[in-house]
Amino acid sequence: MAAEEIKDGVFWVGAIDWDLRDFHGYSTYQGTTYNAYLVKDEKVALFDTVKMPFKNEMLHNIREVMNPEDIDYIIVNHVEMDHSGYLTEMIKLCNPEKVFCSPMGLKAIRSHFHMSADWPLEVVKSGDSISLGAKTVQFLETKMLHWPDSMFSYIPEEKLLISSDAFGQHLATTERFADELPESVVFDQAKKYFANILHLFAPNVTKLLKTVGELGIEIDMIAPDHGLIWRDHVPDILDDYRRWASYEMEPKAVIIYDSMWHSTERMAKAISNGLLSEGVNTRILSAKATHRSEIMTEIMGAKGLILGSPTLNNGILPTMADVCTYIKGLRPKHKIGAAFGSFGWSGESVKHLNGYLEQMGCDIVHEGLRVKNVPTEEDYTVLTAMGAEIGRAIKKSFEE
Ligand code: FEO
């Protein structure tokens, strides 16, 4: 049986995408799941659907529990197509009494599906609830987590939070619960998910967690729209979200670079030695060898952000432009930054990299270093000193 009862009368009826390797620029090397949930009560409610190509898998799972045509309500927690791709056909199949969505969900549904007026849509806002019989569904709008339409559904009788994309991980598994896999696997993927999907909206996460606390919502299970369901680790993942959303960082630095003929690479290593001489650990990540979404995950907890590129055609290497554009969009905060790079004649790369650091709001603590062609022994000394200077600034920031 692929459908799984996760709480009394609550079933996972989603689909597993073993092959997904890219989600809008985010590397999903371990695939993902599109989680949908079915609650059987006097009324039967389906929470979200799946990406269109997975409709048969979802229908098969629903049929293991009941006839899909007997679904009374569809609850659209999120309109992005990985959760609503099958919505139009599902509505045709089960002809539901109601389709519930948030106010922004209504706009998103209209602009995605351009449907006729006969969809039985009903808008619900934060604080609204519906009865399924013995169970209640309470709604909480979670605007910009991560779309304007996003919404949580909470079933108080089960202390179950159906959390849309929040608390998700891109991880294809036949296990359904986070406590069925090693913690490092699940939490690493949850961290990567936060870094690449939610980091941009970290202040909204902080506000939402405060609201959940103020409402006194008791949660003993969080069922996200991707990956594993949180059961034993609910306090841990809530605590991690609090830390990640508050931009908690360590006194370490991430050096991201690309190189043509190894000069910028050597510069990266010399700067790293300088940082280490001040007791600041580093991660040196080649933009050529490391996916942008892995880089973003490393950056999240590091105080130092150091960028390196040789000059190419008066600019920077395209790999670095890719990474810098991606990181900037996810809005890192409170970083200490610096730039470096080798050059042959014109040498504009450091200027461009400093421009990115400025746009990211970094505190640029060194004007940057350029080396012509290949670094000399003297250059290594200066680069190591630059690393040490950045290291001292990082340490000082933790004393303030
Ligand atoms: Fe998993 Fe925002 O869709």
Side-chain angles (χ1 to χ4, degrees), residues 321-350:
D322 174 322
V323 170
C324 290
T325 303
Y326 187 76
I327 297 168
K328 179 163 70 83
L330 289 164
R331 290 195 204 151
K333 295 271 187 220
H334 316 309
K335 303 285 188 200
I336 282 175
F340 63 97
S342 66
F343 69 103
W345 48 100
S346 59
E348 294 92 339
S349 67
V350 168

Side-chain angles (χ1 to χ4, degrees), residues 229-261:
I229 296 164
W230 302 96
R231 183 171 55 181
D232 289 359
H233 298 306
V234 167
D236 304 318
I237 190 63
L238 286 171
D239 197 42
D240 277 353
Y241 262 55
R242 272 185 207 104
R243 289 191 305 101
W244 296 333
S246 66
Y247 307 109
E248 191 177 290
M249 285 178 268
E250 293 173 55
K252 73 172 191 183
V254 177
I255 301 174
I256 308 155
Y257 78 98
D258 198 358
S259 204
M260 289 183 195
W261 298 105

Side-chain angles (χ1 to χ4, degrees), residues 178-192:
D179 48 80
E180 295 176 299
L181 285 184
E183 282 183 33
S184 59
V185 173
V186 188
F187 281 89
D188 281 359
Q189 288 302 323
K191 183 180 177 186
K192 182 175 175 181

Side-chain angles (χ1 to χ4, degrees), residues 129-142:
S129 62
I130 58 170
S131 174
L132 302 179
K135 298 187 206 304
T136 314
V137 184
Q138 298 174 348
F139 299 103
L140 179 62
E141 292 167 70
T142 58

